[in-house]
Amino acid sequence: MSQRSNKHESDGRIHCAGCGVAIQSENKELIGFVPASALEKQPIICQRCFRIKNYNEASSVALDQDDFLRLLSGIGNTNSLVVHIVDIFDFEGSLISGLQRFVGNNEVLLVVNKIDLLPKVMNMNRIRNWVQQQAKQQGLRTVDVVLCSAKRNIGFERVIEEIENYRNGRDVYVVGATNVGKSTLINRLISDYSDLTQELTTSRYPGTTLDAVRIPLDDGNAIIDTPGIVYTSRMTEIVPRSFLGTLLPDKPIKPLVYQLNEGQTLFMGSIARFDFVEGDRQSFTFYVSNGLNIHRTKLERADELYEQHQGELLGGPSREELADIPTWTRHSLRVKRGQYNDIYISGLGWIQVNSDSGALLDIYAPKGIKVVLRDSMI
């Protein structure tokens, strides 16, 4: 299969000979990046194609929501297996909303990554059942759910087995949000299934300006690597890059249990706030990165404390960096008597309500960040 030339298409720009995306040298995190020093070479291929072709290695790139949805809309017209990768630490935030209506009759294998971040005592069968239930509530029909850790190579053989089991000689589309470990899976699929003797090809869909990278498999089919979708409803997308290492756990979470009376507040690293407004004395367990500073105070003092000590005593990004984060929105959540719930804050983690006596809680998070009350995971 011959490589395409770097023709100037109707938009007047140079396009990648591997996947057809418009070339740019400004931002290596975005699609079509080529270092300025490589623009003299012919043919020009983007860094993503270059890494796949020369190192059998995919790199994650991001795409905005509208372009991503246009790309997804073409999958329903194919006969393929769709592998959707989500992050167990940010499940609702990394699940692609409305995926079912885009994939048509194609089967969806749900791969749940980063299970190494969960406390070691957790029952994986229960987690798997919880994931199935949550996916069903979101309208996603899955042929199976596989739990794994791409980073620690836990459960990865099972992922490969299940893909082979459900692929039936078809193409495989890999979809997911940013930072869910998609490139690690793609790299593993390339090394297991493809010798890359053929050139990279491209799948172009009507109405999309982006081409997914098509990685040839030995049996004539392909893995189609789609860029990661950016959801600004996740805390990870709005905090400064320098703070991501604190926000994202890299080892098993150590749950923090707080016994609280009503009228108490907990700040989480100057980026979120938890108010226990009303209810019997009870405990709450925080499942957040161990690097995040949690500070307890009285509700009546909370506003003043934040004004004086944000980005300092309360931890988190600096006061200057916080100025670039959207102002807080209050979410009033009522946990009904007899129910066991989590308060989930996208990209930050979740808080488990340990009592079934009921509670009124106020959660403050930057505007646009997803905050929901859900069935307790644990």
Side-chain angles (χ1 to χ4, degrees):
M1 207 167 287
S2 62
Q3 203 170 44
R4 291 153 38 144
S5 65
N6 293 110
K7 59 188 177 189
H8 292 254
E9 299 195 3
S10 57
D11 59 7
R13 294 184 292 177
I14 299 172
H15 290 254
C16 170
C19 71
V21 73
I23 293 296
Q24 55 91 13
S25 297
E26 288 75 51
N27 188 340
K28 66 180 180 183
E29 304 294 331
L30 298 179
I31 56 171
F33 177 75
V34 172
S37 58
L39 290 173
E40 303 305 313
K41 296 176 183 172
Q42 285 296 329
I44 299 172
I45 64 171
C46 72
Q47 195 168 65
R48 181 163 166 244
C49 288
F50 179 83
R51 296 192 72 83
I52 291 173
K53 181 166 180 264
N54 292 288
Y55 303 113
N56 274 16
E57 182 185 306
S59 60
S60 282
V61 293
L63 195 61
D64 75 34
Q65 224 162 316
D66 291 343
D67 281 342
F68 186 82
L69 295 179
R70 279 197 289 275
L71 178 64
L72 271 188
S73 65
I75 297 178
N77 301 324
T78 69
N79 178 23
S80 315
L81 173 66
V82 178
V83 176
H84 181 12
I85 306 181
V86 294
D87 175 351
I88 190 63
F89 184 68
D90 191 13
F91 183 78
E92 286 86 349
S94 60
L95 197 71
I96 296 173
S97 178
L99 179 65
Q100 195 67 53
R101 70 176 183 269
F102 293 106
V103 301
N105 294 320
N106 290 319
E107 294 171 321
V108 177
L109 177 65
L110 190 61
V111 175
V112 183
N113 194 18
K114 304 191 186 179
I115 59 156
D116 58 298
L117 298 180
L118 298 177
K120 289 191 169 73
V121 296
M122 293 184 62
N123 181 320
M124 286 302 145
N125 281 334
R126 180 176 163 79
I127 297 297
R128 194 169 170 278
N129 292 339
W130 180 89
V131 167
Q132 283 175 320
Q133 204 59 39
Q134 296 299 307
K136 193 175 174 184
Q137 285 178 18
Q138 299 286 339
L140 185 62
R141 298 191 301 276
T142 59
V143 289
D144 210 344
V145 170
V146 188
L147 306 181
C148 73
S149 165
K151 189 176 178 183
R152 309 276 182 225
N153 201 18
I154 300 166
F156 230 60
E157 296 306 323
R158 174 94 200 288
V159 174
I160 303 295
E161 282 169 17
E162 293 298 272
I163 289 173
E164 193 52 44
N165 184 27
Y166 292 109
R167 187 165 79 91
N168 295 326
R170 295 178 293 169
D171 288 346
V172 177
Y173 281 83
V174 183
V175 299
T178 51
N179 291 319
V180 296
K182 191 165 66 66
S183 60
T184 313
L185 176 71
I186 290 279
N187 293 339
R188 180 65 190 271
L189 291 175
I190 292 170
S191 67
D192 276 36
Y193 284 133
S194 176
D195 60 7
L196 284 182
T197 52
Q198 301 181 73
E199 299 292 356
L200 297 173
T201 60
T202 176
S203 295
R204 185 182 288 280
Y205 302 114
T208 175
T209 56
L210 175 90
D211 291 327
V213 173
R214 186 177 176 92
I215 301 154
L217 298 177
D218 299 337
D219 62 3
N221 294 99
I223 298 163
I224 293 95
D225 175 26
T226 62
I229 183 172
V230 174
Y231 282 128
T232 53
S233 56
R234 305 164 77 199
M235 195 77 80
T236 44
E237 300 295 351
I238 65 158
V239 299
R241 282 196 160 274
S242 58
F243 187 63
L244 275 178
T246 304
L247 186 63
L248 292 170
D250 63 353
K251 52 190 173 196
I253 299 163
K254 290 178 182 163
L256 298 170
V257 182
Y258 291 89
Q259 290 281 348
L260 299 179
N261 296 316
E262 64 179 21
Q264 288 189 293
T265 290
L266 289 167
F267 283 100
M268 293 164 271
S270 298
I271 54 171
R273 167 179 156 181
F274 171 93
D275 290 353
F276 182 17
V277 180
E278 189 182 290
D280 299 336
R281 177 176 169 80
Q282 55 189 282
S283 73
F284 301 88
T285 305
F286 283 64
Y287 291 88
V288 296
S289 168
N290 302 132
L292 202 62
N293 184 48
I294 297 186
H295 187 92
R296 189 198 314 222
T297 188
K298 290 181 178 174
L299 178 53
E300 64 207 39
R301 284 202 60 232
D303 288 345
E304 181 190 350
L305 186 75
Y306 186 74
E307 196 55 46
Q308 291 177 356
H309 298 291
Q310 58 180 284
E312 297 159 5
L313 171 73
L314 297 179
S318 68
R319 192 176 282 263
E320 292 73 28
E321 290 171 328
L322 286 168
D324 295 328
I325 294 175
T327 52
W328 285 2
T329 298
R330 185 180 73 170
H331 303 260
S332 278
L333 305 173
R334 183 170 288 282
V335 178
K336 293 178 183 173
R337 186 176 289 274
Q339 291 193 346
Y340 289 96
N341 290 123
D342 292 340
I343 295 99
Y344 158 82
I345 305 170
S346 183
L348 181 71
W350 68 95
I351 302 144
Q352 181 175 296
V353 183
N354 298 320
S355 168
D356 67 348
S357 63
L360 178 61
L361 308 166
D362 280 351
I363 308 298
Y364 292 82
K367 187 177 181 182
I369 296 300
K370 184 182 282 188
V371 175
V372 296
L373 197 64
R374 70 183 188 191
D375 294 336
S376 185
M377 183 195 289
I378 302 165

mmCIF file of all heavy atoms in Angstrom, residues 288-315:
data_model
loop_
_atom_site.group_PDB
_atom_site.id
_atom_site.type_symbol
_atom_site.label_atom_id
_atom_site.label_comp_id
_atom_site.label_asym_id
_atom_site.label_seq_id
_atom_site.Cartn_x
_atom_site.Cartn_y
_atom_site.Cartn_z
ATOM 1 N N VAL A 288 -9.469 9.999 46.903
ATOM 2 C CA VAL A 288 -8.812 11.011 46.060
ATOM 3 C C VAL A 288 -7.314 10.730 46.080
ATOM 4 O O VAL A 288 -6.834 9.914 46.868
ATOM 5 C CB VAL A 288 -9.092 12.452 46.567
ATOM 6 C CG1 VAL A 288 -10.570 12.790 46.463
ATOM 7 C CG2 VAL A 288 -8.599 12.642 48.003
ATOM 8 N N SER A 289 -6.580 11.409 45.215
ATOM 9 C CA SER A 289 -5.126 11.226 45.178
ATOM 10 C C SER A 289 -4.519 11.511 46.541
ATOM 11 O O SER A 289 -4.898 12.472 47.216
ATOM 12 C CB SER A 289 -4.522 12.181 44.141
ATOM 13 O OG SER A 289 -3.119 12.233 44.271
ATOM 14 N N ASN A 290 -3.577 10.661 46.940
ATOM 15 C CA ASN A 290 -2.945 10.838 48.250
ATOM 16 C C ASN A 290 -2.096 12.106 48.318
ATOM 17 O O ASN A 290 -1.732 12.554 49.405
ATOM 18 C CB ASN A 290 -2.089 9.607 48.585
ATOM 19 C CG ASN A 290 -2.900 8.314 48.588
ATOM 20 O OD1 ASN A 290 -2.510 7.323 47.996
ATOM 21 N ND2 ASN A 290 -4.082 8.333 49.210
ATOM 22 N N GLY A 291 -1.806 12.697 47.148
ATOM 23 C CA GLY A 291 -1.028 13.936 47.133
ATOM 24 C C GLY A 291 -1.876 15.178 47.368
ATOM 25 O O GLY A 291 -1.350 16.281 47.548
ATOM 26 N N LEU A 292 -3.206 14.998 47.395
ATOM 27 C CA LEU A 292 -4.112 16.145 47.528
ATOM 28 C C LEU A 292 -4.267 16.529 49.007
ATOM 29 O O LEU A 292 -4.523 15.677 49.855
ATOM 30 C CB LEU A 292 -5.477 15.770 46.950
ATOM 31 C CG LEU A 292 -6.407 16.891 46.507
ATOM 32 C CD1 LEU A 292 -5.783 17.700 45.374
ATOM 33 C CD2 LEU A 292 -7.743 16.324 46.073
ATOM 34 N N ASN A 293 -4.128 17.802 49.292
ATOM 35 C CA ASN A 293 -4.250 18.280 50.673
ATOM 36 C C ASN A 293 -5.732 18.435 51.037
ATOM 37 O O ASN A 293 -6.491 19.067 50.314
ATOM 38 C CB ASN A 293 -3.541 19.631 50.807
ATOM 39 C CG ASN A 293 -3.548 20.132 52.246
ATOM 40 O OD1 ASN A 293 -3.228 19.397 53.161
ATOM 41 N ND2 ASN A 293 -3.918 21.384 52.439
ATOM 42 N N ILE A 294 -6.149 17.827 52.158
ATOM 43 C CA ILE A 294 -7.539 17.975 52.632
ATOM 44 C C ILE A 294 -7.504 18.715 53.962
ATOM 45 O O ILE A 294 -6.762 18.341 54.874
ATOM 46 C CB ILE A 294 -8.235 16.614 52.764
ATOM 47 C CG1 ILE A 294 -8.326 15.945 51.391
ATOM 48 C CG2 ILE A 294 -9.624 16.772 53.376
ATOM 49 C CD1 ILE A 294 -9.104 14.665 51.346
ATOM 50 N N HIS A 295 -8.299 19.780 54.050
ATOM 51 C CA HIS A 295 -8.296 20.646 55.239
ATOM 52 C C HIS A 295 -9.711 20.766 55.800
ATOM 53 O O HIS A 295 -10.639 21.113 55.083
ATOM 54 C CB HIS A 295 -7.755 22.033 54.861
ATOM 55 C CG HIS A 295 -7.560 22.938 56.036
ATOM 56 N ND1 HIS A 295 -6.361 23.023 56.716
ATOM 57 C CD2 HIS A 295 -8.419 23.786 56.657
ATOM 58 C CE1 HIS A 295 -6.495 23.892 57.714
ATOM 59 N NE2 HIS A 295 -7.736 24.372 57.695
ATOM 60 N N ARG A 296 -9.846 20.480 57.098
ATOM 61 C CA ARG A 296 -11.157 20.524 57.747
ATOM 62 C C ARG A 296 -11.347 21.852 58.478
ATOM 63 O O ARG A 296 -10.408 22.374 59.076
ATOM 64 C CB ARG A 296 -11.254 19.367 58.755
ATOM 65 C CG ARG A 296 -12.652 19.198 59.314
ATOM 66 C CD ARG A 296 -12.752 18.390 60.609
ATOM 67 N NE ARG A 296 -12.019 17.159 60.665
ATOM 68 C CZ ARG A 296 -12.487 16.016 61.179
ATOM 69 N NH1 ARG A 296 -13.718 15.955 61.615
ATOM 70 N NH2 ARG A 296 -11.730 14.945 61.275
ATOM 71 N N THR A 297 -12.567 22.377 58.424
ATOM 72 C CA THR A 297 -12.887 23.595 59.168
ATOM 73 C C THR A 297 -14.388 23.612 59.464
ATOM 74 O O THR A 297 -15.115 22.687 59.077
ATOM 75 C CB THR A 297 -12.472 24.856 58.372
ATOM 76 O OG1 THR A 297 -12.621 26.015 59.198
ATOM 77 C CG2 THR A 297 -13.333 25.041 57.124
ATOM 78 N N LYS A 298 -14.843 24.667 60.156
ATOM 79 C CA LYS A 298 -16.282 24.818 60.402
ATOM 80 C C LYS A 298 -16.913 25.528 59.201
ATOM 81 O O LYS A 298 -16.301 26.421 58.614
ATOM 82 C CB LYS A 298 -16.526 25.629 61.678
ATOM 83 C CG LYS A 298 -16.134 24.868 62.938
ATOM 84 C CD LYS A 298 -16.408 25.695 64.177
ATOM 85 C CE LYS A 298 -16.065 24.900 65.434
ATOM 86 N NZ LYS A 298 -16.191 25.721 66.663
ATOM 87 N N LEU A 299 -18.134 25.139 58.878
ATOM 88 C CA LEU A 299 -18.847 25.711 57.741
ATOM 89 C C LEU A 299 -18.924 27.234 57.841
ATOM 90 O O LEU A 299 -18.741 27.942 56.842
ATOM 91 C CB LEU A 299 -20.254 25.093 57.662
ATOM 92 C CG LEU A 299 -21.204 25.573 56.571
ATOM 93 C CD1 LEU A 299 -20.560 25.473 55.196
ATOM 94 C CD2 LEU A 299 -22.500 24.768 56.585
ATOM 95 N N GLU A 300 -19.124 27.736 59.054
ATOM 96 C CA GLU A 300 -19.279 29.189 59.228
ATOM 97 C C GLU A 300 -17.982 29.953 58.917
ATOM 98 O O GLU A 300 -18.006 31.150 58.625
ATOM 99 C CB GLU A 300 -19.747 29.508 60.655
ATOM 100 C CG GLU A 300 -18.748 29.119 61.722
ATOM 101 C CD GLU A 300 -19.379 28.809 63.079
ATOM 102 O OE1 GLU A 300 -20.448 28.193 63.126
ATOM 103 O OE2 GLU A 300 -18.770 29.192 64.099
ATOM 104 N N ARG A 301 -16.842 29.247 58.966
ATOM 105 C CA ARG A 301 -15.555 29.897 58.702
ATOM 106 C C ARG A 301 -15.046 29.645 57.282
ATOM 107 O O ARG A 301 -14.018 30.181 56.869
ATOM 108 C CB ARG A 301 -14.493 29.358 59.678
ATOM 109 C CG ARG A 301 -14.587 29.887 61.089
ATOM 110 C CD ARG A 301 -13.245 29.751 61.809
ATOM 111 N NE ARG A 301 -12.188 30.498 61.133
ATOM 112 C CZ ARG A 301 -11.013 29.967 60.776
ATOM 113 N NH1 ARG A 301 -10.755 28.700 60.988
ATOM 114 N NH2 ARG A 301 -10.109 30.716 60.181
ATOM 115 N N ALA A 302 -15.735 28.799 56.525
ATOM 116 C CA ALA A 302 -15.208 28.289 55.255
ATOM 117 C C ALA A 302 -14.914 29.391 54.233
ATOM 118 O O ALA A 302 -13.841 29.407 53.615
ATOM 119 C CB ALA A 302 -16.163 27.258 54.668
ATOM 120 N N ASP A 303 -15.856 30.301 54.047
ATOM 121 C CA ASP A 303 -15.665 31.357 53.030
ATOM 122 C C ASP A 303 -14.437 32.206 53.340
ATOM 123 O O ASP A 303 -13.613 32.487 52.463
ATOM 124 C CB ASP A 303 -16.906 32.258 52.948
ATOM 125 C CG ASP A 303 -18.095 31.549 52.302
ATOM 126 O OD1 ASP A 303 -17.872 30.491 51.676
ATOM 127 O OD2 ASP A 303 -19.233 32.033 52.438
ATOM 128 N N GLU A 304 -14.337 32.604 54.599
ATOM 129 C CA GLU A 304 -13.225 33.468 55.020
ATOM 130 C C GLU A 304 -11.887 32.725 54.865
ATOM 131 O O GLU A 304 -10.895 33.282 54.387
ATOM 132 C CB GLU A 304 -13.435 33.875 56.485
ATOM 133 C CG GLU A 304 -12.358 34.789 57.043
ATOM 134 C CD GLU A 304 -12.483 34.974 58.557
ATOM 135 O OE1 GLU A 304 -13.509 34.547 59.142
ATOM 136 O OE2 GLU A 304 -11.530 35.526 59.141
ATOM 137 N N LEU A 305 -11.876 31.455 55.272
ATOM 138 C CA LEU A 305 -10.653 30.651 55.186
ATOM 139 C C LEU A 305 -10.184 30.533 53.737
ATOM 140 O O LEU A 305 -8.999 30.679 53.432
ATOM 141 C CB LEU A 305 -10.901 29.254 55.768
ATOM 142 C CG LEU A 305 -9.670 28.354 55.862
ATOM 143 C CD1 LEU A 305 -8.773 28.776 57.020
ATOM 144 C CD2 LEU A 305 -10.072 26.896 56.036
ATOM 145 N N TYR A 306 -11.134 30.290 52.831
ATOM 146 C CA TYR A 306 -10.767 30.133 51.416
ATOM 147 C C TYR A 306 -10.216 31.439 50.871
ATOM 148 O O TYR A 306 -9.217 31.447 50.135
ATOM 149 C CB TYR A 306 -11.981 29.679 50.594
ATOM 150 C CG TYR A 306 -11.613 29.369 49.160
ATOM 151 C CD1 TYR A 306 -10.917 28.206 48.841
ATOM 152 C CD2 TYR A 306 -11.928 30.254 48.124
ATOM 153 C CE1 TYR A 306 -10.548 27.928 47.533
ATOM 154 C CE2 TYR A 306 -11.565 29.983 46.812
ATOM 155 C CZ TYR A 306 -10.875 28.812 46.522
ATOM 156 O OH TYR A 306 -10.498 28.547 45.227
ATOM 157 N N GLU A 307 -10.857 32.536 51.216
ATOM 158 C CA GLU A 307 -10.428 33.855 50.735
ATOM 159 C C GLU A 307 -8.979 34.140 51.159
ATOM 160 O O GLU A 307 -8.170 34.647 50.381
ATOM 161 C CB GLU A 307 -11.367 34.935 51.293
ATOM 162 C CG GLU A 307 -11.283 36.272 50.592
ATOM 163 C CD GLU A 307 -11.505 36.190 49.083
ATOM 164 O OE1 GLU A 307 -12.456 35.521 48.633
ATOM 165 O OE2 GLU A 307 -10.667 36.773 48.360
ATOM 166 N N GLN A 308 -8.666 33.762 52.395
ATOM 167 C CA GLN A 308 -7.341 34.098 52.937
ATOM 168 C C GLN A 308 -6.251 33.095 52.552
ATOM 169 O O GLN A 308 -5.084 33.460 52.418
ATOM 170 C CB GLN A 308 -7.420 34.176 54.472
ATOM 171 C CG GLN A 308 -8.223 35.355 54.977
ATOM 172 C CD GLN A 308 -8.341 35.356 56.500
ATOM 173 O OE1 GLN A 308 -7.882 34.422 57.168
ATOM 174 N NE2 GLN A 308 -8.968 36.387 57.040
ATOM 175 N N HIS A 309 -6.626 31.821 52.391
ATOM 176 C CA HIS A 309 -5.588 30.779 52.313
ATOM 177 C C HIS A 309 -5.632 29.899 51.066
ATOM 178 O O HIS A 309 -4.958 28.868 51.023
ATOM 179 C CB HIS A 309 -5.650 29.896 53.565
ATOM 180 C CG HIS A 309 -5.385 30.641 54.833
ATOM 181 N ND1 HIS A 309 -4.135 31.154 55.140
ATOM 182 C CD2 HIS A 309 -6.207 30.978 55.864
ATOM 183 C CE1 HIS A 309 -4.196 31.760 56.324
ATOM 184 N NE2 HIS A 309 -5.434 31.670 56.777
ATOM 185 N N GLN A 310 -6.429 30.262 50.059
ATOM 186 C CA GLN A 310 -6.450 29.443 48.838
ATOM 187 C C GLN A 310 -5.065 29.413 48.213
ATOM 188 O O GLN A 310 -4.346 30.414 48.179
ATOM 189 C CB GLN A 310 -7.473 29.995 47.843
ATOM 190 C CG GLN A 310 -7.233 31.428 47.437
ATOM 191 C CD GLN A 310 -8.275 31.935 46.457
ATOM 192 O OE1 GLN A 310 -8.224 31.588 45.286
ATOM 193 N NE2 GLN A 310 -9.207 32.748 46.934
ATOM 194 N N GLY A 311 -4.665 28.238 47.741
ATOM 195 C CA GLY A 311 -3.367 28.079 47.089
ATOM 196 C C GLY A 311 -2.185 28.101 48.034
ATOM 197 O O GLY A 311 -1.045 27.953 47.598
ATOM 198 N N GLU A 312 -2.452 28.269 49.329
ATOM 199 C CA GLU A 312 -1.355 28.302 50.319
ATOM 200 C C GLU A 312 -1.600 27.225 51.365
ATOM 201 O O GLU A 312 -1.293 26.062 51.143
ATOM 202 C CB GLU A 312 -1.280 29.703 50.951
ATOM 203 C CG GLU A 312 -0.942 30.784 49.916
ATOM 204 C CD GLU A 312 -1.346 32.171 50.354
ATOM 205 O OE1 GLU A 312 -1.811 32.340 51.508
ATOM 206 O OE2 GLU A 312 -1.216 33.104 49.546
ATOM 207 N N LEU A 313 -2.190 27.590 52.502
ATOM 208 C CA LEU A 313 -2.509 26.615 53.555
ATOM 209 C C LEU A 313 -3.391 25.485 53.015
ATOM 210 O O LEU A 313 -3.226 24.317 53.384
ATOM 211 C CB LEU A 313 -3.229 27.331 54.715
ATOM 212 C CG LEU A 313 -3.829 26.441 55.809
ATOM 213 C CD1 LEU A 313 -2.714 25.857 56.670
ATOM 214 C CD2 LEU A 313 -4.803 27.220 56.684
ATOM 215 N N LEU A 314 -4.306 25.824 52.122
ATOM 216 C CA LEU A 314 -5.239 24.814 51.595
ATOM 217 C C LEU A 314 -4.631 23.943 50.503
ATOM 218 O O LEU A 314 -5.247 22.976 50.059
ATOM 219 C CB LEU A 314 -6.513 25.501 51.070
ATOM 220 C CG LEU A 314 -7.340 26.257 52.116
ATOM 221 C CD1 LEU A 314 -8.543 26.914 51.462
ATOM 222 C CD2 LEU A 314 -7.783 25.329 53.232
ATOM 223 N N GLY A 315 -3.418 24.306 50.052
ATOM 224 C CA GLY A 315 -2.760 23.500 49.024
ATOM 225 C C GLY A 315 -3.343 23.747 47.651
ATOM 226 O O GLY A 315 -4.164 24.644 47.442
#
